[in-house]
Amino acid sequence: MSGAPGWIEWRDRLADRLSGDPVGADPRLRRKAALVLVDDLAAMVFGRQHDEIRTFADAMSRGDVRGEATVVAGGRAPRERAAAANAVAAGWDELDEGYRPATCHGGLYAIPAAMAEAEVTGASVDDLLNAVVVGYEVATAVARAFPAPRPLTLHPHATLSPIGAAAAVTWLRTRSGGAVLGAVDAAATMSMAGQFRHATVGAQVRNVWAGGGAVLGFLASDAAAAGLRGDAVTLFDVFGSTYGQSVDPAELASERDSWAIIDGYHKRYAACQYTHAALECALEITGGAPLPSPEDVVAIEVATHPLAMALDDRAPTTALGGKFSVPHVVAAVLASGSGDARVFASGGLGDPTVAALRDLVQLTPYDSLPEPPHDRPARVTVRYADGSRRDAECLSAVGGPDRPLGEAEVLQKAADLTSRHLPDFAGVAAQIVNGGVAGDEPRAAVLASLIPEVGR
């Protein structure tokens, strides 16, 4: 069996792209990789405020005698366990970077494992950035080759995180595209069949999948190096046969001339990206102040795109469930007049005004869905008992390909997320993105500057 027509050729082209020094040859690529790194690291720092993150971090470092790598929520641990703790922190608030061309979070899958490996081995900042680019490239390539069927069944944090982690770690160890694909074959067999439903119902084990993927990425890299490999069709078998995801012939035939990370987007709002258009509609309706007379509201109509239609829980019980609930996200914004990350923390779930507004939300399909990048629109109408109404429409939320966050905005986001715990983070982050930190600077030294109390 050879997979699908063009499979082996696709795989060979991918392997050829992964060797060498991508960021050294492309300053634009280096800046983008640094921006993705800073964005996800800031999300890790912000995650430190949650009891669950600190408790999980303590569990990952419990009994450790090596203290190999930094746990951003505090302490040190063996590299794979530090990566697991940091991955859970990075994804907890839905503030990590994402990838619109396919259902995938390439940075989340590559960065925690790459950070830990680079710190332990003394790799440079540019080595780390190259590993992030490679891990991102492989995870997103698989996501594009095997488009997730609609409605979503399997969650990419489960299926793809071992692949991105294995690719990043193995590049740091070998700089070889062939070795990277060998570890990815092994990682594919360790891929987890986590159900997307766990996110929509707020089962917070979903937040652990990226951490599990980081651990499995190290395991796959070690296994492949020991000769415990799959073969050239292993990846196809897992996604095409086991998961039943049809391969995209056009993707197999494509000759890519740019790195996927360039197309990554940065999120402003701490909720599932599928809710963002409705969220922005709610913000527009409030004008930045709590909705007046919420007790007089009789209906809230949300017309939205197909990916958001399943996010319909009107009584979420966890912070994750709230972030994956269009009714909750819209109600929380209407009640507060704010899109700040703290609006979507678990404390707002029981707010009586939010709960009352949630119960009034009705989701309907958005008629005549536009073409990308306007394929995730929303229209929100708030109706009052006196017959008055407030309306807003958003064709594409900020952060999308037509409304990307600029470098300055991402750096400001990082500053906002870290100012409470690490007021010096933003300055060092800006130096990394702007080239003020030498590419051959040891990654561990840079981390110590970013996170002084746990980086030394």
Side-chain angles (χ1 to χ4, degrees), residues 133-452:
V133 168
V134 167
Y136 198 109
E137 188 72 15
V138 175
T140 54
V142 175
R144 292 191 311 272
F146 297 94
R150 302 293 192 264
L152 295 171
T153 302
L154 297 178
H155 199 293
H157 287 11
T159 59
L160 294 171
S161 58
I163 288 169
V169 168
T170 305
W171 188 90
L172 282 168
R173 293 175 174 180
T174 69
R175 275 61 167 177
S176 163
V180 167
L181 265 292
V184 165
D185 291 331
T189 69
M190 303 173 192
S191 178
M192 301 168 283
Q195 294 288 308
F196 196 89
R197 182 190 68 84
H198 283 73
T200 61
V201 301
Q204 296 194 130
V205 67
R206 172 265 190 186
N207 288 336
V208 185
W209 293 338
V215 173
L216 292 170
F218 281 101
L219 182 61
S221 186
D222 291 339
L228 309 176
R229 303 183 182 93
D231 62 24
V233 192
T234 295
L235 185 63
F236 183 91
D237 285 344
V238 171
F239 283 84
S241 300
T242 303
Y243 292 156
Q245 296 182 199
S246 299
V247 70
D248 182 354
E251 181 63 31
L252 294 189
S254 68
E255 297 276 357
R256 292 184 62 83
D257 58 3
S258 66
W259 293 91
I261 199 169
I262 295 293
D263 297 324
Y265 72 88
H266 301 273
K267 298 170 68 175
R268 176 172 291 170
Y269 308 116
C272 174
Q273 199 278 334
Y274 304 161
T275 73
H276 286 195
L279 188 160
E280 287 202 355
C281 290
L283 277 175
E284 181 180 338
I285 287 171
T286 66
L291 188 72
S293 305
E295 67 278 4
D296 294 331
V297 175
V298 295
I300 302 171
E301 300 161 4
V302 179
T304 191
H305 56 93
L307 287 170
M309 286 296 295
L311 311 186
D312 59 355
D313 187 358
R314 286 194 282 177
T317 58
T318 67
L320 178 64
K323 294 172 187 294
F324 275 78
S325 163
V326 173
H328 178 72
V329 166
V330 169
V333 172
L334 291 176
S336 65
S338 171
D340 183 81
R342 292 169 180 82
V343 169
F344 308 107
S346 59
L349 293 172
D351 182 277
T353 300
V354 173
L357 292 173
R358 272 197 315 251
D359 285 341
L360 299 174
V361 174
Q362 295 291 336
L363 302 187
T364 59
Y366 189 100
D367 290 335
S368 302
L369 194 68
E371 293 295 316
H374 296 155
D375 55 330
R376 298 185 184 179
R379 184 186 307 109
V380 175
T381 300
V382 177
R383 298 186 183 275
Y384 281 89
D386 63 3
S388 63
R389 55 189 279 182
R390 295 188 175 205
D391 303 273
E393 183 173 53
C394 175
L395 292 179
S396 180
V398 68
D402 58 325
R403 298 178 62 199
L405 291 181
E407 281 189 5
E409 291 174 293
V410 176
L411 289 172
Q412 184 59 55
K413 170 190 169 185
D416 293 341
L417 295 180
T418 59
S419 61
R420 178 179 176 186
H421 298 288
L422 300 174
D424 296 331
F425 181 99
V428 180
Q431 291 182 44
I432 295 173
V433 172
N434 294 323
V437 173
D440 59 359
E441 182 81 8
R443 182 263 169 198
V446 176
L447 181 67
S449 298
L450 281 167
I451 312 172

